[in-house]
Amino acid sequence: MADVAKDLTAGTIGGVAQLIVGHPFDTIKVKLQSQLVPPPGQLPRYSGAIDAVKQTIAAEGPRGLYKGMRAPLATVAALNVVLFTVRGQMEALLRSEPGAPLTVNQQVVAGAGAGVAVAILATPTELVKCRSVHFFQ
């Protein structure tokens, strides 16, 4: 049970840190991906990532980089908890004896299992985030 608690704590802290640092990059990525193709002879809304950051901060301030963060904030800790917990449980199942190192193939299986579990939960969250950023542009 102590390993599960450690996985839960690490997943929560890691997820929140990941979101605080990474969300501005996601916001800019989504703005660039969702900008409309300009008519011939016109320039796109953003000329690149730096331009998108500058325009976002000029129009909305630094908070604009965190637009659409509510849905991921509500779920990021849960997603990382699932990732850490499923990975830990799969490692325990795959070990030949407690404490034995995993082979590369066993590590791949444990990581893939955790990735599948997270992907099932993360896809709807990412969809909401992308739609909210695009909607409020």
Side-chain angles (χ1 to χ4, degrees):
M1 193 51 116
D3 286 341
V4 172
K6 184 172 72 172
D7 290 340
L8 292 173
T9 303
T12 301
I13 293 169
V16 171
Q18 168 191 342
L19 185 61
I20 290 168
V21 173
H23 191 79
F25 294 101
D26 279 345
T27 299
I28 296 304
K29 176 193 70 165
V30 169
K31 285 182 177 228
L32 290 170
Q33 289 175 334
S34 63
Q35 69 181 333
L36 301 174
V37 176
Q42 292 187 357
L43 296 174
R45 181 173 182 176
Y46 307 111
S47 62
I50 300 297
D51 184 46
V53 170
K54 286 178 182 177
Q55 286 190 44
T56 300
I57 292 174
E60 305 169 50
R63 294 181 82 181
L65 297 172
Y66 290 91
K67 188 182 292 184
M69 188 169 155
R70 276 182 253 163
L73 185 58
T75 58
V76 71
L79 293 175
N80 274 9
V81 164
V82 169
L83 178 70
F84 279 65
T85 303
V86 170
R87 169 80 189 205
Q89 294 303 306
M90 296 225 19
E91 286 179 3
L93 288 172
L94 294 169
R95 277 195 170 80
S96 55
E97 61 185 62
L102 295 177
T103 66
V104 172
N105 288 339
Q106 289 171 320
Q107 291 180 22
V108 168
V109 170
V116 167
V118 168
I120 291 168
L121 297 174
T123 302
T125 302
E126 289 295 312
L127 179 62
V128 168
K129 179 184 75 177
C130 291
R131 286 189 177 170
S132 68
V133 169
H134 181 67
F135 179 77
F136 290 111
Q137 276 189 349

